[in-house]
Amino acid sequence: MKRETEDIYREVQHLYGVPYVSAIHKSLATQPGLLTWAWHKVAPAFRTGEAQKAAWAAAAEVEAPALDPIPWQAVNAWGMTRHDVTSVRAAAETFLRVSPVNMMFAALIKLRLAGVMPKGATDSGALTPWQPPAAPATAPPPMIDVERADATTRDLAMLFATNRDDEPFVPGLYCMLLNWPGLAGHLGTVLPPRMRGAVAVSDALRSRIDDAAATLLRPAPEPPCAAPSPSARAYFAHIASTYRKTSPELVIAGKLIRDALPSDEPTRGSEQRLGRLGS
């Protein structure tokens, strides 16, 4: 089963066009057979690109009040280089790519667990393979482990925390931002009001994903494992409810962060760090 899971991870990375596997897949893999059963049931829609393209189209309609642009002077003061800015932009773009597809993945599994059958009689083996987009040229920054971070970083992370199982949960995009405390502090101040004002935007994205998912179930071979147990079903419902809340937020936040970052062409001297500027 470990090899089966690793094969699924590789295929998911390829079909998502990102350099890592999302936590939702890793979470399902903790339940015996759940990831294998789920992926076999929904994979045809991802192998043809229908699921990804529908999810990205739904996310493209997201609109929220923009953040004020971040000037290079602020980037300099935060000790960030041009490469750092490119890395943050890659993080935002990655979550814009992954979050809506994770929503589609969860929506399709929910339908299959509910017993909704695929329409049509398409032979999944005869479907035209899809070539996903290449992963971002710049790798996103590593995620800071909040639980192992120092007290100041943990306090900073709480600006982005949501609630899961009555415990604070910091989504991955924000864990990446913690690499630059100045930027994280700024975004932790200006993002939350935008997110509180974007509830209707998140609801609309969820509705578009659900509507699209209902049209995307495709026939698939039977999985090489038993159907999920009641406890595994309950576990999926719990995980899916978390992603249903956080994924729309990350789509909105990803767009706002990407668009607020300064352009790729810094002004003269903008790549100097604060120490040099103040010397």
Side-chain angles (χ1 to χ4, degrees):
M1 191 59 68
K2 180 180 178 181
R3 182 171 182 178
E4 174 77 20
T5 298
E6 292 174 349
D7 288 343
I8 292 172
Y9 282 175
R10 281 192 290 271
E11 185 173 21
V12 167
Q13 279 186 261
H14 171 69
L15 292 174
Y16 274 43
V18 293
Y20 62 87
V21 177
S22 295
I24 188 171
H25 302 96
K26 294 178 179 179
S27 296
L28 298 190
T30 65
Q31 303 297 303
L34 180 55
L35 177 64
T36 298
W37 183 91
W39 182 244
H40 277 76
K41 286 290 187 180
V42 304
F46 290 90
R47 290 170 179 155
T48 61
E50 295 171 290
Q52 296 93 313
K53 289 184 284 188
W56 293 331
E61 297 184 38
V62 165
E63 293 184 3
L67 298 175
D68 290 334
I70 299 172
W72 276 107
Q73 290 91 331
V75 170
N76 293 336
W78 294 331
M80 298 177 67
T81 66
R82 178 176 178 175
H83 180 270
D84 293 335
V85 173
T86 302
S87 185
V88 175
R89 183 174 285 108
E93 294 284 2
T94 296
F95 276 84
L96 278 171
R97 183 177 294 188
V98 167
S99 295
V101 182
N102 280 340
M103 293 177 68
M104 184 65 73
F105 175 68
L108 289 169
I109 295 170
K110 182 179 178 181
L111 291 173
R112 295 310 303 260
L113 285 172
V116 178
M117 299 301 293
K119 296 180 180 179
T122 302
D123 177 5
S124 62
L127 295 174
T128 303
W130 177 66
Q131 182 60 43
T138 300
M143 295 185 191
I144 298 296
D145 186 337
V146 176
E147 293 185 359
R148 296 184 178 182
D150 60 70
T152 299
T153 301
R154 290 197 301 271
D155 288 344
L156 182 58
M158 290 305 104
L159 295 176
F160 303 100
T162 187
N163 186 58
R164 186 174 74 177
D165 297 336
D166 296 324
E167 295 287 340
F169 169 70
V170 183
L173 174 59
Y174 306 130
C175 291
M176 293 179 179
L177 297 178
L178 294 174
N179 286 282
W180 300 279
L183 174 64
H186 169 69
L187 292 174
T189 302
V190 300
L191 267 178
R194 294 293 198 281
M195 306 312 294
R196 289 192 291 270
V199 174
V201 177
S202 293
D203 290 343
L205 175 56
R206 279 187 282 267
S207 294
R208 290 194 296 272
I209 292 289
D210 289 345
D211 290 345
T215 71
L216 290 174
L217 290 180
R218 299 289 180 263
E222 281 301 307
C225 58
S229 66
S231 62
R233 289 170 176 264
Y235 180 81
F236 167 77
H238 171 67
I239 292 296
S241 68
T242 299
Y243 273 85
R244 190 171 176 81
K245 178 181 185 295
T246 60
S247 291
E249 294 177 3
L250 291 172
V251 171
I252 298 168
K255 281 196 170 189
L256 295 181
I257 293 169
R258 180 197 63 189
D259 295 344
L261 291 170
S263 70
D264 288 337
E265 293 300 327
T267 56
R268 182 182 178 186
S270 64
E271 290 185 318
Q272 299 178 35
R273 293 188 175 274
L274 182 59
R276 286 188 64 187
L277 291 175
S279 60

